[in-house]
Amino acid sequence: MIETLSAGPDAAGERLDRYLASKLPALSRARVQALIDEGKIHVDGKAARASLRLRGAEAIRVEIPAPEPIALLPEAIPLSVVFQDKQLLVLDKPAGLVVHPGAGNKGGTLVNALLHHVKDLAGIGGELRPGIVHRLDKDTSGLMVVAKTQAALEALQKAFASREVDKRYLALVAGQPPDSGQFDTLHGRDPKNRLRFSGKVKRGKRAVTRFTVVRRFKEAALVEIELLTGRTHQIRMHFAEGGFPLLGDALYGGRKQSKSPIIARQALHAARLSFVHPKTGKTVAFTAAPPKDFEQAMARLSKR
């Protein structure tokens, strides 16, 4: 696919990679830089550099290669199943497991494991995300629900969208937050880092996070979190921008958390999940205790 753009006066002085990322929403800044390195972006007929400062009157040509097809194959990856019936499956996802295939993760994902565990899952909800109702970040552990029928998928997706699902998390955060509180902000892509999200944006969707401190340590706290909305990185974004980054969160916590001696990943665990069963109409609730690394982190904190 070829995209052609004419840089207007508003582009004057802007870096090429930043300008293209803002004009082509389907491309992250990192993806734009990769295309530049591959020689697939030309300005006024010449191969360009990412750092090129535009004058505001250039013709830009972007060649976007077609995505390589991903063949989803069942893989015998162990799963910790909390509950299962003919309509759905609830599992306790370990930290480090990616939910679905994508760039750099063509196998070894939760979806590959599910295709092995649930023989007739393929095709429910889409080829690349069969049965997936919601997701957790790679390094977040805890409860997820997976639909095993199309009807269950649609019912659960509707419940999540209408905020009828009770999702509770446990997190270890730096500092001493108030005993309870609520973050209520906008949510959008961070203009300075496309890998992150920010509540300090001019336009975006509403994001609401409620929390209560469960236990305090000398320089940290264990908090229980209720998600009233379900935006990407919502908890991590809110606590970092509130001054209490999650322990071990390299992306949002900066250099100090990237080298955290307490835990090697963001200290976030989906501990409770409650929703109306799509078949029976009854409310079901599930809990999962924090994994070993989370418990070890609390033990380390208690000794400080």
Side-chain angles (χ1 to χ4, degrees):
M1 182 175 71
I2 303 296
E3 291 276 2
T4 57
L5 300 89
S6 297
D10 63 317
E14 187 75 87
R15 277 177 58 114
L16 175 63
D17 56 350
R18 184 175 294 138
Y19 175 76
L20 289 177
S22 68
K23 294 297 182 181
L24 301 173
L27 298 179
S28 67
R29 189 173 174 187
R31 179 62 175 142
V32 169
Q33 292 170 344
L35 291 174
I36 290 172
D37 292 342
E38 294 168 11
K40 297 188 182 298
I41 296 180
H42 291 73
V43 176
D44 290 335
K46 297 180 180 179
R49 303 185 315 276
S51 60
L52 173 70
R53 295 285 177 176
L54 297 170
R55 302 186 313 277
E58 294 90 345
I60 306 172
R61 182 180 185 273
V62 181
E63 179 185 348
I64 306 174
E68 296 182 10
I70 299 175
L72 280 183
L73 299 174
E75 296 181 33
I77 299 170
L79 289 178
S80 177
V81 177
V82 176
F83 172 84
Q84 182 173 196
D85 63 14
K86 293 182 179 180
Q87 283 73 41
L88 57 87
L89 176 150
V90 177
L91 59 92
D92 186 358
K93 186 187 86 68
L97 182 63
V98 176
V99 171
H100 51 73
N105 295 294
K106 296 184 179 181
T109 72
L110 176 61
V111 165
N112 296 101
L114 288 169
L115 289 173
H116 178 268
H117 186 87
V118 184
K119 301 304 181 185
D120 56 352
L121 190 66
I124 296 172
E127 183 179 356
L128 295 183
R129 303 185 183 189
I132 299 298
V133 179
H134 63 125
R135 61 183 292 274
L136 296 176
D137 293 338
K138 173 186 175 182
D139 289 326
T140 297
S141 58
L143 294 169
M144 288 184 61
V145 59
V146 176
K148 295 172 67 175
T149 69
Q150 188 65 34
L153 178 68
E154 293 172 2
L156 289 167
Q157 286 178 333
K158 183 178 179 180
F160 271 86
S162 58
R163 304 177 188 175
E164 297 171 356
V165 177
D166 185 11
K167 296 172 286 183
R168 305 292 175 108
Y169 292 73
L170 292 174
L172 292 169
V173 303
Q176 296 296 330
D179 289 344
S180 62
Q182 180 171 292
F183 298 107
D184 190 342
T185 72
L186 293 177
H187 174 277
R189 189 75 68 171
D190 188 332
K192 296 181 181 179
N193 185 340
R194 298 285 294 180
L195 297 177
R196 296 172 27 144
F197 292 85
S198 175
K200 300 175 182 179
V201 291
K202 294 181 179 179
R203 291 183 296 175
K205 296 181 179 180
R206 187 184 181 199
V208 186
T209 304
R210 189 175 294 160
F211 69 89
T212 302
V213 173
V214 176
R215 182 180 176 185
R216 293 190 183 276
F217 304 95
K218 185 177 180 180
E219 298 176 350
L222 172 67
V223 294
E224 181 183 71
I225 300 162
E226 179 183 4
L227 278 185
L228 278 69
T229 57
R231 312 301 178 201
T232 302
H233 295 182
Q234 177 177 318
I235 294 172
R236 300 166 66 189
M237 174 196 84
H238 271 158
F239 278 89
E241 293 186 344
F244 311 102
L246 271 61
L247 299 185
D249 191 343
L251 181 60
Y252 286 88
R255 184 177 300 175
K256 183 176 181 180
Q257 295 309 325
S258 70
K259 298 180 180 180
S260 170
I262 303 299
I263 189 168
R265 50 105 177 180
Q266 67 255 14
L268 184 60
H269 175 70
R272 187 177 188 274
L273 187 61
S274 178
F275 53 88
V276 173
H277 192 286
K279 183 70 173 180
T280 68
K282 296 181 179 179
T283 299
V284 291
F286 306 95
T287 59
K292 185 177 180 179
D293 66 339
F294 199 104
E295 295 285 358
Q296 290 175 335
M298 288 195 290
R300 294 186 185 103
L301 290 169
S302 65
K303 293 178 181 178
R304 290 193 162 199

